[in-house]
Amino acid sequence: MNAKETTSERDARVMRLYEQLVEIEQRLIPTGLHVFGRAAELREKADLLRMVASFDRPEHGARALARLIAEALDVDSYDALLHETSAGETRELIDGIVAEAVHQFCEDGVDTAVDWLNSKAGVDGEESRPTFLLLTRVAEQLDSNNEIDSLVRALRGEFIRPGPGADIVQNPLVLPTGRNTHAVNPYSVPSQMACARAQHTADALLRRYFDEHGRYPRALALVLWGLDNIKTQGEGVAQALWLLGVRPVRDALNRATEIAVIPLEELSRPRIDVVMTVSGIFRDLFTPTMALLDKAVRRVATLDEPLDMNYVRRNVSQKIDADGFEFDDAVTRVFSNAPGNYGTNVNFMVMQSAWENDATLGDLFVTRKCFAYTRDSNGRSVEGREAPELMDDALSRVEATYQNIDSFEVGITDVDHYFEYLGGISKAVETRAKSRPSIYLSDSLSPQTKIRSLEETVRLETRAKTLNPKWYEGMLKHGFRGVAEIENHVANTFGWSATADAVDPWIYTEISQTFLLDPIMLNRLRELNPHSLQSLARRLLEAHNRGYWNPAEEILERLREISSELEAAKELIV
Ligand code: BEZ
Ligand code: MG
């Protein structure tokens, strides 16, 4: 304890630590790779079922078990417990009952679990039964696996049953796997459910920015992906609309093609200027949705409202008055790749260490993503006009960048796509706005959507995965591929240093200690996959050379030794 710290400061510090531990504990941590054709193992199944049971599912008439238990125990609200400093024990009690009830269900089925929950916590059997019946269906489907059979049938050109694409926890109807994943009807996006959730998330995002800066961001850059908007039925799209202060309106054919403006009195905050960068997949799948987003910005820009309550109008009219822009140019906010192109290539540049100064990564992002998709004032559709000057201008006012994470399976250090997009756009903003934006991610993985800064998210993912023995031992069960996965995580973490300077130095130190400076682990990794091990050592040295991390000289010396030993061993093999 620090000498100047009072008891209440110490308690607050312990509480913050406790909250972080709970956060890591509550995450679903993948403990291995999916093996094609193999059904889920028992422990993995129990974890998934517990997560499925943590959401209310009105479409199945099922309630979240934790909420049912909280009500039966006369606790006001389970959700409130997560934010109350004095409620740790009650929350642990409820979480323990949920875990045991799911365990009983896995061992002995619905009746036993219903009865046990009734005797343990007084939950009415009629209330909990629909949830366990839902779990029964999910468990049966997790036990069956048709993937190899479906693949063989697909190769024979036979029919494969279609099924929706989503995260199992978000939509258990994605099971069984091994079906032909179908997308959504783009006109159905965003759904009502997506709008309700998006409102909550976007408000939390604005509140977080407001708490940190004492005002709202005047312009925000949003990354929209295709698969995510399929999974969530358009939550990202709905967030953009809500930030602008509009709602989607359906036409006579129930297609979301129009928008309605939410009056400022109802919105009670300014309309935020939103720059949208959509992936190539989004562009291909959601053409009408891009038109809807463009229409929303154009409508908001023409509203007769005070400039300090309508940042879109403010920014657009300033470009017209001060810089002589045409309205069509000043209002362009929806950007993607050139038609037929995908990706930002920022990930390739980082992985190949092929950049010299920071600005290059943001410039590459703009070069790839500066194609405007809009409908001009004459009603002509513009499908991918190269407009780097318009994107530069739009990004030059951005104060915050943002993306959703919405799958348990894929987080920001699992793949290189998060840093190529959110990192890439943040770096592009940094050089154009002459100031690093605040970078946020939402986490709609749990029932309580959370906004975190990028730095917080990198820390959380590192603790939950890369440095978590449960995660890396799960990966190492896969031998050669497992080491490659660990190396991938480190490389993706490095990507967040390169694009956004968002990685605490201790993370690189702990990674070195866990995988390279521990002789037993070093030998295991060397036996399994010396190539990935060498890339890992080199990546850590590069992190130092680029100034992301400045460890003790002994650590660097040891990493250099390991890297040269591995290089020499490689030459011997050749
Ligand atoms: C997408 O769903 O749009 C997407 C997926 C992976 C990488 C980039 C974009
Ligand atoms: Mg890789």
Side-chain angles (χ1 to χ4, degrees), residues 180-210:
N180 190 3
T181 306
H182 64 71
V184 287
N185 166 6
Y187 286 108
S188 71
V189 159
S191 70
Q192 270 185 350
M193 170 90 154
C195 288
R197 286 176 63 92
Q199 189 171 331
H200 179 77
T201 311
D203 281 344
L205 173 66
L206 291 179
R207 202 160 44 242
R208 169 94 195 228
Y209 187 95
F210 196 98

PDB file of all heavy atoms in Angstrom, residues 180-210:
ATOM      1  N   ASN A 180     -25.464 -24.507 -44.939  1.00  0.00           N
ATOM      2  CA  ASN A 180     -25.077 -23.480 -45.892  1.00  0.00           C
ATOM      3  C   ASN A 180     -25.496 -22.125 -45.298  1.00  0.00           C
ATOM      4  O   ASN A 180     -26.676 -21.792 -45.272  1.00  0.00           O
ATOM      5  CB  ASN A 180     -25.813 -23.772 -47.201  1.00  0.00           C
ATOM      6  CG  ASN A 180     -25.318 -22.913 -48.325  1.00  0.00           C
ATOM      7  OD1 ASN A 180     -24.373 -22.131 -48.158  1.00  0.00           O
ATOM      8  ND2 ASN A 180     -25.954 -23.046 -49.473  1.00  0.00           N
ATOM      9  N   THR A 181     -24.527 -21.391 -44.771  1.00  0.00           N
ATOM     10  CA  THR A 181     -24.854 -20.143 -44.069  1.00  0.00           C
ATOM     11  C   THR A 181     -25.467 -19.150 -45.050  1.00  0.00           C
ATOM     12  O   THR A 181     -24.867 -18.835 -46.071  1.00  0.00           O
ATOM     13  CB  THR A 181     -23.572 -19.519 -43.491  1.00  0.00           C
ATOM     14  OG1 THR A 181     -22.933 -20.507 -42.711  1.00  0.00           O
ATOM     15  CG2 THR A 181     -23.883 -18.304 -42.652  1.00  0.00           C
ATOM     16  N   HIS A 182     -26.660 -18.693 -44.733  1.00  0.00           N
ATOM     17  CA  HIS A 182     -27.241 -17.687 -45.623  1.00  0.00           C
ATOM     18  C   HIS A 182     -27.201 -16.334 -44.943  1.00  0.00           C
ATOM     19  O   HIS A 182     -27.167 -16.208 -43.726  1.00  0.00           O
ATOM     20  CB  HIS A 182     -28.659 -18.049 -46.050  1.00  0.00           C
ATOM     21  CG  HIS A 182     -29.648 -18.101 -44.929  1.00  0.00           C
ATOM     22  ND1 HIS A 182     -30.098 -16.982 -44.267  1.00  0.00           N
ATOM     23  CD2 HIS A 182     -30.276 -19.145 -44.348  1.00  0.00           C
ATOM     24  CE1 HIS A 182     -30.962 -17.345 -43.355  1.00  0.00           C
ATOM     25  NE2 HIS A 182     -31.084 -18.640 -43.364  1.00  0.00           N
ATOM     26  N   ALA A 183     -27.164 -15.326 -45.761  1.00  0.00           N
ATOM     27  CA  ALA A 183     -27.080 -13.972 -45.231  1.00  0.00           C
ATOM     28  C   ALA A 183     -28.474 -13.455 -44.911  1.00  0.00           C
ATOM     29  O   ALA A 183     -29.410 -14.227 -44.768  1.00  0.00           O
ATOM     30  CB  ALA A 183     -26.398 -13.090 -46.248  1.00  0.00           C
ATOM     31  N   VAL A 184     -28.588 -12.179 -44.772  1.00  0.00           N
ATOM     32  CA  VAL A 184     -29.888 -11.603 -44.474  1.00  0.00           C
ATOM     33  C   VAL A 184     -30.414 -10.908 -45.705  1.00  0.00           C
ATOM     34  O   VAL A 184     -29.684 -10.614 -46.645  1.00  0.00           O
ATOM     35  CB  VAL A 184     -29.786 -10.558 -43.360  1.00  0.00           C
ATOM     36  CG1 VAL A 184     -29.570 -11.217 -42.033  1.00  0.00           C
ATOM     37  CG2 VAL A 184     -28.739  -9.531 -43.666  1.00  0.00           C
ATOM     38  N   ASN A 185     -31.685 -10.613 -45.652  1.00  0.00           N
ATOM     39  CA  ASN A 185     -32.270  -9.744 -46.645  1.00  0.00           C
ATOM     40  C   ASN A 185     -31.801  -8.330 -46.286  1.00  0.00           C
ATOM     41  O   ASN A 185     -32.144  -7.826 -45.226  1.00  0.00           O
ATOM     42  CB  ASN A 185     -33.786  -9.891 -46.527  1.00  0.00           C
ATOM     43  CG  ASN A 185     -34.507  -8.809 -47.272  1.00  0.00           C
ATOM     44  OD1 ASN A 185     -33.888  -8.005 -47.981  1.00  0.00           O
ATOM     45  ND2 ASN A 185     -35.825  -8.793 -47.116  1.00  0.00           N
ATOM     46  N   PRO A 186     -31.005  -7.671 -47.128  1.00  0.00           N
ATOM     47  CA  PRO A 186     -30.442  -6.382 -46.716  1.00  0.00           C
ATOM     48  C   PRO A 186     -31.525  -5.349 -46.409  1.00  0.00           C
ATOM     49  O   PRO A 186     -31.307  -4.455 -45.582  1.00  0.00           O
ATOM     50  CB  PRO A 186     -29.584  -5.957 -47.916  1.00  0.00           C
ATOM     51  CG  PRO A 186     -30.024  -6.798 -49.053  1.00  0.00           C
ATOM     52  CD  PRO A 186     -30.562  -8.065 -48.483  1.00  0.00           C
ATOM     53  N   TYR A 187     -32.688  -5.516 -47.015  1.00  0.00           N
ATOM     54  CA  TYR A 187     -33.756  -4.541 -46.754  1.00  0.00           C
ATOM     55  C   TYR A 187     -34.348  -4.701 -45.355  1.00  0.00           C
ATOM     56  O   TYR A 187     -35.066  -3.844 -44.883  1.00  0.00           O
ATOM     57  CB  TYR A 187     -34.869  -4.692 -47.799  1.00  0.00           C
ATOM     58  CG  TYR A 187     -34.496  -4.141 -49.151  1.00  0.00           C
ATOM     59  CD1 TYR A 187     -34.231  -4.992 -50.221  1.00  0.00           C
ATOM     60  CD2 TYR A 187     -34.437  -2.765 -49.365  1.00  0.00           C
ATOM     61  CE1 TYR A 187     -33.903  -4.488 -51.468  1.00  0.00           C
ATOM     62  CE2 TYR A 187     -34.106  -2.258 -50.605  1.00  0.00           C
ATOM     63  CZ  TYR A 187     -33.840  -3.115 -51.652  1.00  0.00           C
ATOM     64  OH  TYR A 187     -33.515  -2.607 -52.877  1.00  0.00           O
ATOM     65  N   SER A 188     -34.056  -5.857 -44.701  1.00  0.00           N
ATOM     66  CA  SER A 188     -34.632  -6.052 -43.358  1.00  0.00           C
ATOM     67  C   SER A 188     -33.743  -5.392 -42.292  1.00  0.00           C
ATOM     68  O   SER A 188     -34.092  -5.340 -41.121  1.00  0.00           O
ATOM     69  CB  SER A 188     -34.758  -7.545 -43.061  1.00  0.00           C
ATOM     70  OG  SER A 188     -33.464  -8.094 -42.873  1.00  0.00           O
ATOM     71  N   VAL A 189     -32.583  -4.899 -42.719  1.00  0.00           N
ATOM     72  CA  VAL A 189     -31.604  -4.323 -41.779  1.00  0.00           C
ATOM     73  C   VAL A 189     -31.745  -2.812 -41.698  1.00  0.00           C
ATOM     74  O   VAL A 189     -31.908  -2.168 -42.729  1.00  0.00           O
ATOM     75  CB  VAL A 189     -30.189  -4.714 -42.277  1.00  0.00           C
ATOM     76  CG1 VAL A 189     -29.123  -3.806 -41.732  1.00  0.00           C
ATOM     77  CG2 VAL A 189     -29.908  -6.153 -41.922  1.00  0.00           C
ATOM     78  N   PRO A 190     -31.697  -2.210 -40.511  1.00  0.00           N
ATOM     79  CA  PRO A 190     -31.566  -2.842 -39.207  1.00  0.00           C
ATOM     80  C   PRO A 190     -32.927  -3.300 -38.654  1.00  0.00           C
ATOM     81  O   PRO A 190     -33.933  -2.647 -38.879  1.00  0.00           O
ATOM     82  CB  PRO A 190     -31.001  -1.712 -38.340  1.00  0.00           C
ATOM     83  CG  PRO A 190     -31.483  -0.446 -38.983  1.00  0.00           C
ATOM     84  CD  PRO A 190     -31.617  -0.734 -40.439  1.00  0.00           C
ATOM     85  N   SER A 191     -32.886  -4.442 -37.925  1.00  0.00           N
ATOM     86  CA  SER A 191     -34.128  -4.957 -37.324  1.00  0.00           C
ATOM     87  C   SER A 191     -34.514  -4.088 -36.119  1.00  0.00           C
ATOM     88  O   SER A 191     -33.698  -3.301 -35.640  1.00  0.00           O
ATOM     89  CB  SER A 191     -33.904  -6.389 -36.854  1.00  0.00           C
ATOM     90  OG  SER A 191     -33.028  -6.380 -35.735  1.00  0.00           O
ATOM     91  N   GLN A 192     -35.720  -4.299 -35.626  1.00  0.00           N
ATOM     92  CA  GLN A 192     -36.174  -3.528 -34.442  1.00  0.00           C
ATOM     93  C   GLN A 192     -35.294  -3.793 -33.234  1.00  0.00           C
ATOM     94  O   GLN A 192     -34.938  -2.909 -32.476  1.00  0.00           O
ATOM     95  CB  GLN A 192     -37.594  -3.932 -34.101  1.00  0.00           C
ATOM     96  CG  GLN A 192     -38.598  -3.076 -34.806  1.00  0.00           C
ATOM     97  CD  GLN A 192     -39.998  -3.421 -34.360  1.00  0.00           C
ATOM     98  OE1 GLN A 192     -40.211  -4.411 -33.663  1.00  0.00           O
ATOM     99  NE2 GLN A 192     -40.947  -2.607 -34.764  1.00  0.00           N
ATOM    100  N   MET A 193     -34.962  -5.088 -33.083  1.00  0.00           N
ATOM    101  CA  MET A 193     -34.108  -5.503 -31.964  1.00  0.00           C
ATOM    102  C   MET A 193     -32.747  -4.804 -32.074  1.00  0.00           C
ATOM    103  O   MET A 193     -32.201  -4.297 -31.088  1.00  0.00           O
ATOM    104  CB  MET A 193     -33.933  -7.023 -32.067  1.00  0.00           C
ATOM    105  CG  MET A 193     -32.909  -7.582 -31.158  1.00  0.00           C
ATOM    106  SD  MET A 193     -33.696  -7.999 -29.634  1.00  0.00           S
ATOM    107  CE  MET A 193     -32.613  -9.282 -29.070  1.00  0.00           C
ATOM    108  N   ALA A 194     -32.201  -4.774 -33.318  1.00  0.00           N
ATOM    109  CA  ALA A 194     -30.897  -4.133 -33.528  1.00  0.00           C
ATOM    110  C   ALA A 194     -30.995  -2.648 -33.167  1.00  0.00           C
ATOM    111  O   ALA A 194     -30.080  -2.087 -32.558  1.00  0.00           O
ATOM    112  CB  ALA A 194     -30.447  -4.307 -34.976  1.00  0.00           C
ATOM    113  N   CYS A 195     -32.111  -2.007 -33.519  1.00  0.00           N
ATOM    114  CA  CYS A 195     -32.266  -0.573 -33.210  1.00  0.00           C
ATOM    115  C   CYS A 195     -32.299  -0.354 -31.699  1.00  0.00           C
ATOM    116  O   CYS A 195     -31.670   0.578 -31.188  1.00  0.00           O
ATOM    117  CB  CYS A 195     -33.530  -0.008 -33.852  1.00  0.00           C
ATOM    118  SG  CYS A 195     -33.377   0.142 -35.639  1.00  0.00           S
ATOM    119  N   ALA A 196     -33.016  -1.232 -30.988  1.00  0.00           N
ATOM    120  CA  ALA A 196     -33.123  -1.055 -29.537  1.00  0.00           C
ATOM    121  C   ALA A 196     -31.751  -1.219 -28.885  1.00  0.00           C
ATOM    122  O   ALA A 196     -31.331  -0.417 -28.040  1.00  0.00           O
ATOM    123  CB  ALA A 196     -34.117  -2.062 -28.965  1.00  0.00           C
ATOM    124  N   ARG A 197     -31.020  -2.257 -29.295  1.00  0.00           N
ATOM    125  CA  ARG A 197     -29.692  -2.479 -28.702  1.00  0.00           C
ATOM    126  C   ARG A 197     -28.721  -1.371 -29.092  1.00  0.00           C
ATOM    127  O   ARG A 197     -27.902  -0.928 -28.295  1.00  0.00           O
ATOM    128  CB  ARG A 197     -29.138  -3.838 -29.153  1.00  0.00           C
ATOM    129  CG  ARG A 197     -29.820  -5.012 -28.452  1.00  0.00           C
ATOM    130  CD  ARG A 197     -29.316  -6.338 -29.004  1.00  0.00           C
ATOM    131  NE  ARG A 197     -27.892  -6.548 -28.767  1.00  0.00           N
ATOM    132  CZ  ARG A 197     -27.375  -7.175 -27.716  1.00  0.00           C
ATOM    133  NH1 ARG A 197     -28.184  -7.660 -26.793  1.00  0.00           N
ATOM    134  NH2 ARG A 197     -26.081  -7.329 -27.592  1.00  0.00           N
ATOM    135  N   ALA A 198     -28.824  -0.924 -30.349  1.00  0.00           N
ATOM    136  CA  ALA A 198     -27.897   0.095 -30.855  1.00  0.00           C
ATOM    137  C   ALA A 198     -28.061   1.413 -30.097  1.00  0.00           C
ATOM    138  O   ALA A 198     -27.080   2.105 -29.804  1.00  0.00           O
ATOM    139  CB  ALA A 198     -28.141   0.329 -32.338  1.00  0.00           C
ATOM    140  N   GLN A 199     -29.282   1.729 -29.776  1.00  0.00           N
ATOM    141  CA  GLN A 199     -29.549   2.979 -29.060  1.00  0.00           C
ATOM    142  C   GLN A 199     -28.817   2.975 -27.721  1.00  0.00           C
ATOM    143  O   GLN A 199     -28.144   3.927 -27.341  1.00  0.00           O
ATOM    144  CB  GLN A 199     -31.058   3.070 -28.855  1.00  0.00           C
ATOM    145  CG  GLN A 199     -31.527   4.371 -28.321  1.00  0.00           C
ATOM    146  CD  GLN A 199     -33.058   4.423 -28.370  1.00  0.00           C
ATOM    147  OE1 GLN A 199     -33.683   3.799 -29.225  1.00  0.00           O
ATOM    148  NE2 GLN A 199     -33.651   5.140 -27.454  1.00  0.00           N
ATOM    149  N   HIS A 200     -28.929   1.840 -27.054  1.00  0.00           N
ATOM    150  CA  HIS A 200     -28.281   1.662 -25.759  1.00  0.00           C
ATOM    151  C   HIS A 200     -26.749   1.780 -25.901  1.00  0.00           C
ATOM    152  O   HIS A 200     -26.082   2.494 -25.145  1.00  0.00           O
ATOM    153  CB  HIS A 200     -28.695   0.284 -25.254  1.00  0.00           C
ATOM    154  CG  HIS A 200     -28.111  -0.083 -23.943  1.00  0.00           C
ATOM    155  ND1 HIS A 200     -28.599   0.420 -22.772  1.00  0.00           N
ATOM    156  CD2 HIS A 200     -27.075  -0.888 -23.636  1.00  0.00           C
ATOM    157  CE1 HIS A 200     -27.874  -0.059 -21.781  1.00  0.00           C
ATOM    158  NE2 HIS A 200     -26.944  -0.847 -22.269  1.00  0.00           N
ATOM    159  N   THR A 201     -26.200   1.092 -26.905  1.00  0.00           N
ATOM    160  CA  THR A 201     -24.738   1.073 -27.094  1.00  0.00           C
ATOM    161  C   THR A 201     -24.214   2.451 -27.503  1.00  0.00           C
ATOM    162  O   THR A 201     -23.210   2.932 -26.971  1.00  0.00           O
ATOM    163  CB  THR A 201     -24.353   0.049 -28.186  1.00  0.00           C
ATOM    164  OG1 THR A 201     -25.016  -1.167 -27.907  1.00  0.00           O
ATOM    165  CG2 THR A 201     -22.860  -0.176 -28.228  1.00  0.00           C
ATOM    166  N   ALA A 202     -24.891   3.078 -28.465  1.00  0.00           N
ATOM    167  CA  ALA A 202     -24.413   4.374 -28.954  1.00  0.00           C
ATOM    168  C   ALA A 202     -24.522   5.430 -27.844  1.00  0.00           C
ATOM    169  O   ALA A 202     -23.646   6.289 -27.714  1.00  0.00           O
ATOM    170  CB  ALA A 202     -25.193   4.795 -30.188  1.00  0.00           C
ATOM    171  N   ASP A 203     -25.566   5.340 -27.025  1.00  0.00           N
ATOM    172  CA  ASP A 203     -25.673   6.273 -25.894  1.00  0.00           C
ATOM    173  C   ASP A 203     -24.517   6.057 -24.910  1.00  0.00           C
ATOM    174  O   ASP A 203     -23.940   7.018 -24.395  1.00  0.00           O
ATOM    175  CB  ASP A 203     -27.009   6.097 -25.153  1.00  0.00           C
ATOM    176  CG  ASP A 203     -28.151   6.780 -25.893  1.00  0.00           C
ATOM    177  OD1 ASP A 203     -27.869   7.617 -26.778  1.00  0.00           O
ATOM    178  OD2 ASP A 203     -29.324   6.473 -25.596  1.00  0.00           O
ATOM    179  N   ALA A 204     -24.185   4.776 -24.682  1.00  0.00           N
ATOM    180  CA  ALA A 204     -23.066   4.480 -23.761  1.00  0.00           C
ATOM    181  C   ALA A 204     -21.754   5.012 -24.343  1.00  0.00           C
ATOM    182  O   ALA A 204     -20.904   5.532 -23.619  1.00  0.00           O
ATOM    183  CB  ALA A 204     -22.969   2.974 -23.514  1.00  0.00           C
ATOM    184  N   LEU A 205     -21.604   4.906 -25.654  1.00  0.00           N
ATOM    185  CA  LEU A 205     -20.391   5.414 -26.321  1.00  0.00           C
ATOM    186  C   LEU A 205     -20.289   6.937 -26.140  1.00  0.00           C
ATOM    187  O   LEU A 205     -19.237   7.467 -25.761  1.00  0.00           O
ATOM    188  CB  LEU A 205     -20.461   5.062 -27.812  1.00  0.00           C
ATOM    189  CG  LEU A 205     -19.383   5.651 -28.714  1.00  0.00           C
ATOM    190  CD1 LEU A 205     -18.015   5.074 -28.365  1.00  0.00           C
ATOM    191  CD2 LEU A 205     -19.695   5.358 -30.191  1.00  0.00           C
ATOM    192  N   LEU A 206     -21.403   7.624 -26.371  1.00  0.00           N
ATOM    193  CA  LEU A 206     -21.382   9.091 -26.237  1.00  0.00           C
ATOM    194  C   LEU A 206     -21.158   9.504 -24.777  1.00  0.00           C
ATOM    195  O   LEU A 206     -20.460  10.475 -24.493  1.00  0.00           O
ATOM    196  CB  LEU A 206     -22.689   9.689 -26.763  1.00  0.00           C
ATOM    197  CG  LEU A 206     -22.870   9.572 -28.283  1.00  0.00           C
ATOM    198  CD1 LEU A 206     -24.205  10.168 -28.709  1.00  0.00           C
ATOM    199  CD2 LEU A 206     -21.727  10.253 -29.040  1.00  0.00           C
ATOM    200  N   ARG A 207     -21.753   8.734 -23.858  1.00  0.00           N
ATOM    201  CA  ARG A 207     -21.597   9.054 -22.437  1.00  0.00           C
ATOM    202  C   ARG A 207     -20.125   8.913 -22.033  1.00  0.00           C
ATOM    203  O   ARG A 207     -19.574   9.735 -21.325  1.00  0.00           O
ATOM    204  CB  ARG A 207     -22.479   8.111 -21.613  1.00  0.00           C
ATOM    205  CG  ARG A 207     -22.834   8.634 -20.242  1.00  0.00           C
ATOM    206  CD  ARG A 207     -24.044   7.966 -19.627  1.00  0.00           C
ATOM    207  NE  ARG A 207     -24.030   6.518 -19.790  1.00  0.00           N
ATOM    208  CZ  ARG A 207     -24.954   5.843 -20.468  1.00  0.00           C
ATOM    209  NH1 ARG A 207     -25.964   6.453 -21.023  1.00  0.00           N
ATOM    210  NH2 ARG A 207     -24.881   4.540 -20.586  1.00  0.00           N
ATOM    211  N   ARG A 208     -19.517   7.847 -22.533  1.00  0.00           N
ATOM    212  CA  ARG A 208     -18.100   7.617 -22.199  1.00  0.00           C
ATOM    213  C   ARG A 208     -17.252   8.773 -22.730  1.00  0.00           C
ATOM    214  O   ARG A 208     -16.391   9.299 -22.030  1.00  0.00           O
ATOM    215  CB  ARG A 208     -17.659   6.277 -22.820  1.00  0.00           C
ATOM    216  CG  ARG A 208     -16.173   6.025 -22.791  1.00  0.00           C
ATOM    217  CD  ARG A 208     -15.742   5.218 -21.593  1.00  0.00           C
ATOM    218  NE  ARG A 208     -14.300   5.311 -21.412  1.00  0.00           N
ATOM    219  CZ  ARG A 208     -13.488   4.275 -21.200  1.00  0.00           C
ATOM    220  NH1 ARG A 208     -13.986   3.069 -21.104  1.00  0.00           N
ATOM    221  NH2 ARG A 208     -12.209   4.460 -21.034  1.00  0.00           N
ATOM    222  N   TYR A 209     -17.491   9.161 -23.985  1.00  0.00           N
ATOM    223  CA  TYR A 209     -16.704  10.269 -24.549  1.00  0.00           C
ATOM    224  C   TYR A 209     -16.958  11.545 -23.745  1.00  0.00           C
ATOM    225  O   TYR A 209     -16.036  12.286 -23.412  1.00  0.00           O
ATOM    226  CB  TYR A 209     -17.056  10.486 -26.037  1.00  0.00           C
ATOM    227  CG  TYR A 209     -16.132  11.499 -26.692  1.00  0.00           C
ATOM    228  CD1 TYR A 209     -15.000  11.088 -27.395  1.00  0.00           C
ATOM    229  CD2 TYR A 209     -16.366  12.871 -26.579  1.00  0.00           C
ATOM    230  CE1 TYR A 209     -14.133  12.002 -27.963  1.00  0.00           C
ATOM    231  CE2 TYR A 209     -15.501  13.800 -27.144  1.00  0.00           C
ATOM    232  CZ  TYR A 209     -14.387  13.355 -27.838  1.00  0.00           C
ATOM    233  OH  TYR A 209     -13.524  14.269 -28.392  1.00  0.00           O
ATOM    234  N   PHE A 210     -18.222  11.762 -23.434  1.00  0.00           N
ATOM    235  CA  PHE A 210     -18.591  12.982 -22.688  1.00  0.00           C
ATOM    236  C   PHE A 210     -17.884  12.993 -21.326  1.00  0.00           C
ATOM    237  O   PHE A 210     -17.324  14.010 -20.901  1.00  0.00           O
ATOM    238  CB  PHE A 210     -20.109  13.046 -22.505  1.00  0.00           C
ATOM    239  CG  PHE A 210     -20.596  14.403 -22.097  1.00  0.00           C
ATOM    240  CD1 PHE A 210     -21.111  15.291 -23.032  1.00  0.00           C
ATOM    241  CD2 PHE A 210     -20.517  14.818 -20.767  1.00  0.00           C
ATOM    242  CE1 PHE A 210     -21.541  16.561 -22.660  1.00  0.00           C
ATOM    243  CE2 PHE A 210     -20.938  16.086 -20.382  1.00  0.00           C
ATOM    244  CZ  PHE A 210     -21.453  16.959 -21.333  1.00  0.00           C
TER     245      PHE A 210
END
